[in-house]
Amino acid sequence: MAEKEESGEAGKDKTELQIIKELVDELYNFRDCYFETHSVEEAGRKDDNVKRKMGQALKKLEEKEDSLKHKSEFLLQKGRCLNVSPDFSAAAEECLSRAVKLDPTLVEAWNILGDQYWKKGDLIASKNCFTGALQQEKNKVSLRNLSMVLRQLPAANSDEHGKRVLESVDLAREAVQLDVSDGTSWCILGNAFLSLFFTCGQNPQFSQQALNAYAKSAADRIASSMPDLHFNRANLFHYEEMFGCALEGYSRAAELDPNWGEPPEKEKQLLEYLEKVTELIHNKGKVKTRRLRTMLSNLNTSALGPCSFPQFRSPSGRVGSLEPRSLSSLTHGHNAGVAALGKVVFSLATQGRMAFTFGMVDSEETCIVVMVYNTADTWGVLISDSVVIPEPNVKRHSITHKDKSYDFKSIRVDSPLLLIVNGKKQNVQSQIPISVSNQYHQKPKEAD
């Protein structure tokens, strides 16, 4: 008889716990699919609406707390309910810690406890939770969260950081393989490849893999509403000089979370940069005609320096002297075997710049903008300096964003070491690899 009563009580608990789980599931669905039931104009109220919904759910959970507070599943659902907020919750930490003590096999409780430690700033404890969950069961949430935490842990040196980034890519890739339809996992894989790109020599293959993963994520109905996705992808678009896509990404991130200040600031900075660049190209850096002609009068092939030597090795690996060409004769893309030669007429210092930017004018008085990446803060060129760009990579930009249009050509230079300035190669100290930070908007920032 006692056994029957115990069995019946267990069945009752299961029913109540199932109702509680469905209640918390509904809360997460409300948060994650918010824009399926609300317009983007209501984005600014999302956090408040989610908190209000969380409060309603908590009230219903607390009605059952006296009879269920010693059940690990109840503690999991209460901790999960509290975890819907982007902020650390001591109550959530307590619930989840008790849940895993009662049942160490509760993978979801380990994962959410790891989230709480992350929000608290205890990355070691967070990592231990995700590792512990994976010891119980291989699952996509632990894999992708561990991928993120590994990139945030402080490293003793660049080699250690590089190894962690490589491991984080493997973990994120494994998470995707467990569920190729999960857009959040694709987003984390994109971030991992972005970190790998900037950590391991800026291999274009890694950049493309990041963009491919972000595209998969953006096609997912839940992940496409995450402002972090659009912001991080926009940063990569910006670096790749896909300025129109970058502006759209910053704008979309700002729409999805109007309370987050960084996306609109980045959008504003990039618009100001494009405005200034097009203006300076148009008026040749505002250099007066007489001064410009004086500057150009002493521009000759002697400025080619080592580029004129038969043994000169070009960035492409080609050996041999380069033929100087006018800017107007350069073709779109890589110009093999030739060099662009001109005088600096302006340089541009901008907030949050990706590249050191300057304009140069050739002997035909054609002006073009040059964007040099991975420069040390102390490196630069001065007005009237002679600059030679071996085998220039020419791009055409045609951008329209929010009723503003920009149209200009540029030359991309991936390192100052590729330039010849006043007849001389640049020293190694002129180069410092650029870094771009991923953002996890509801968790600490991930720096590369």
Side-chain angles (χ1 to χ4, degrees), residues 61 78 91 156 164 186 196 215 303 309 312 341 348 350 354 398 423:
L61 261 67
K78 186 176 179 185
R164 283 184 184 161
W186 279 110
L196 187 62
F309 301 161
F312 180 75
L341 170 61
L348 194 56
T350 58
M354 286 278 186
S398 187

Side-chain angles (χ1 to χ4, degrees), residues 34 58 105 120 164 190 233 266 315 329 350 365 427 441:
Y34 184 81
L58 272 176
T105 66
K120 190 179 182 179
R164 283 184 184 161
R233 181 165 66 159
K266 286 268 193 178
S329 69
T350 58
E365 296 193 20
N427 62 42
H441 188 34

Side-chain angles (χ1 to χ4, degrees), residues 361-373:
V361 173
D362 69 359
S363 56
E364 295 180 349
E365 296 193 20
T366 302
C367 186
I368 198 166
V369 66
V370 183
M371 300 175 188
V372 189
Y373 293 80

